[in-house]
Amino acid sequence: MQDSVQTGQGSQAIPFDTDKLDRLMEEAGLDVLLVTSKHNVQYMLDVERAIFFDYMDALGISRYLPVMIYAKGAPDKAGYVGHGLETHQREVVRPWVPTLKTSGHGSLDAIATAVQMVRASGVPAKRIGVETAFLPMDAGKALQDAFPNSEIKDALYALERLRAVKTPAELAKLRAASELVTEAMLDVIAHHGPGVTKRQLFEALRVAEVKRGLTFEYCLLAAGRSHNRAPSEQRWEEGDVLSLDSGGNYHGYIGDLARMAVLGEPDAELRDLLAEIDAVQQAAFAVIKPGAMGGVIYAAAERALEGTSQRNNTEFLAHGMGLVSHEAPRLTASGPVRYDAADAGRPLEPGMVISVETTMKHPERGFIKLEDTIAVTATGYEMFGENGRGWNLGGTSTR
């Protein structure tokens, strides 16, 4: 492995609002940040993730640990500690940070190098912000030992607020991710007919997304009357519904949507059930606009849910989207992913992106769901990847 140490301003402009980050750090009582999650490192450097470690972090007896260093009010003191295996990437596109060291091998030496850089910069370090969920115990202990008189604090909230409003470039990536995931799902539905297994559909969607330039993350799929969404040998047969809920990653940004299909023509009941789900979705969309409190989305959806025939079998969820699924805005404290409803009482802002999903677990007709990606605009909202929101007919390209 190579060791690389470079100093001097990179060729890129700083990709985030330093004044906003400084304010967030002041509110959180932080002097310096040590950012170690791959998604936040990507955001703060605005460069491609380390290729060798994009899939997993484990290597030998340790793990990959990138460390981005940022001191409040001092972007000229920023630095990055990368792994030796990403040296060539950082030579091709050099991050904006003045100090760059691609000399890491594992978690302990990466954090030791970061400590040296903080000390050499002379910035205050009495209150150090870290991502506690993304800092391994050995590195966390080494950091505390290096700064025994400093307070180590979780910086998740400050970093999440920094990312909450997307730039035009980020919105373009989220749009592309959403459109490509939808396109892949519709392609798989059209090219598969009676007798195909859920496992075959899973693999076909994985291939379809990869062919479109996405990194396949997951597919939750249910067929027939079953509510089970794992790949299996269950077959999709004539008259069965099919629910596809897939996440595909485009340059780090997530496309996460759900679409419905049926083998044969949907009967009147199926059309009515999907229309009820869409009515809940549309009610939620209608209140999304800048300045509206985040909580109005749930209030509108709950009112629409009361008019559905399957109220007791139907659930609504809305959550933020971006580099992470379920990032800010966080709108509920009672959803399947546990967090506080920090944005229920805060105004929506242009550039926020929200996943809106309504799920019906019908006891006879099966799993019926729509999930859509909504961007808050200056005047209201815009949907990404809007195709295929009705009943899509399976096997149309095989007949």
Side-chain angles (χ1 to χ4, degrees):
M1 297 182 183
Q2 301 183 51
D3 286 359
S4 175
V5 179
Q6 304 176 42
T7 59
Q9 187 72 28
S11 59
Q12 291 184 313
I14 299 176
F16 57 87
D17 185 341
T18 57
D19 289 339
K20 181 178 181 180
L21 180 55
D22 291 343
R23 289 194 304 271
L24 290 167
M25 291 177 68
E26 180 63 28
E27 292 169 5
L30 302 174
D31 298 317
V32 63
L33 290 173
L34 270 61
V35 178
T36 53
S37 67
K38 288 189 286 191
H39 58 276
N40 274 323
V41 167
Q42 175 185 339
Y43 182 85
M44 296 190 73
L45 294 183
D46 193 28
V47 294
E48 184 181 37
R49 297 186 189 188
I51 295 169
F52 194 88
F53 299 101
D54 192 35
Y55 176 70
M56 67 177 183
D57 298 334
L59 182 65
I61 60 172
S62 190
R63 56 158 288 167
Y64 173 59
L65 188 68
V67 188
M68 161 70 190
I69 302 159
Y70 180 86
K72 182 180 64 180
D76 59 314
K77 303 289 188 180
Y80 175 62
V81 181
H83 196 278
L85 287 172
E86 61 186 292
T87 300
H88 294 160
Q89 280 178 268
R90 305 312 165 213
E91 289 175 350
V92 172
V93 179
R94 193 193 187 288
W96 66 269
V97 293
T99 303
L100 168 67
K101 298 187 178 184
T102 52
S103 56
H105 296 280
S107 56
L108 285 175
D109 62 276
I111 205 70
T113 301
V115 166
Q116 292 171 4
M117 291 167 65
V118 171
R119 287 174 173 162
S121 70
V123 300
K126 294 296 291 182
R127 302 169 300 175
I128 302 172
V130 301
E131 298 176 88
T132 56
F134 294 91
L135 184 64
M137 182 176 287
D138 59 355
K141 184 177 185 301
L143 178 63
Q144 186 67 85
D145 289 346
F147 293 101
N149 298 317
S150 296
E151 183 180 7
I152 309 295
K153 305 175 69 174
D154 192 5
L156 181 146
Y157 186 81
L159 291 168
E160 188 178 55
R161 300 318 308 181
L162 180 67
R163 300 196 322 269
V165 174
K166 276 58 180 176
T167 65
E170 290 181 286
L171 292 171
K173 290 175 183 176
L174 284 162
R175 179 194 295 278
S178 301
E179 291 176 349
L180 292 170
V181 168
T182 304
E183 182 182 302
M185 289 195 290
L186 298 183
D187 183 44
V188 167
I189 290 167
H191 285 87
H192 291 80
V196 66
T197 68
K198 287 171 60 180
R199 195 173 301 280
Q200 289 171 323
L201 288 165
F202 181 95
E203 288 301 318
L205 185 59
R206 179 183 63 79
V207 171
E209 291 188 6
V210 171
K211 282 183 176 179
R212 288 166 171 80
L214 296 169
T215 299
F216 176 77
E217 292 199 353
Y218 63 86
C219 175
L220 306 173
L221 69 172
R225 296 178 57 182
S226 174
H227 299 162
N228 186 294
R229 297 204 286 167
S232 72
E233 298 309 309
Q234 180 189 353
R235 296 184 183 277
W236 190 27
E237 302 291 4
E238 194 70 28
D240 284 352
V241 304
L242 174 71
S243 169
L244 292 179
D245 182 346
S246 183
N249 193 299
Y250 183 76
H251 298 279
Y253 288 82
I254 299 169
D256 179 14
L257 301 101
R259 294 293 182 260
M260 294 301 304
V262 63
L263 277 176
E265 291 290 334
D267 57 36
E269 183 182 33
L270 285 180
R271 288 195 294 269
D272 288 345
L273 292 174
L274 191 57
E276 288 185 359
I277 289 174
D278 187 44
V280 177
Q281 294 285 100
Q282 296 294 338
F285 301 160
V287 297
I288 295 176
K289 59 183 179 181
M293 296 299 156
V296 302
I297 298 173
Y298 270 84
E302 288 296 329
R303 288 193 297 270
L305 279 170
E306 290 304 318
T308 62
S309 64
Q310 294 292 315
R311 175 64 187 94
N312 293 335
N313 299 317
T314 306
E315 301 169 345
F316 175 81
L317 179 64
H319 60 83
M321 291 286 296
L323 285 165
V324 176
S325 184
H326 289 266
E327 67 178 32
R330 289 184 274 116
L331 303 166
T332 180
S334 58
V337 180
R338 298 299 180 185
Y339 41 69
D340 61 274
D343 292 281
R346 298 170 64 107
L348 299 174
E349 300 178 55
M352 287 182 166
V353 179
I354 303 166
S355 178
V356 178
E357 49 187 296
T358 303
T359 303
M360 180 185 294
K361 298 176 183 177
H362 196 283
E364 300 295 331
R365 305 312 301 265
F367 196 99
I368 305 174
K369 174 178 181 176
L370 287 176
E371 182 173 8
D372 298 296
T373 299
I374 305 298
V376 183
T377 68
T379 57
Y381 72 89
E382 182 179 7
M383 185 184 296
F384 294 163
E386 66 271 20
N387 291 336
R389 299 187 69 257
W391 282 108
N392 300 288
L393 305 185
T396 55
S397 294
T398 63
R399 297 171 188 172

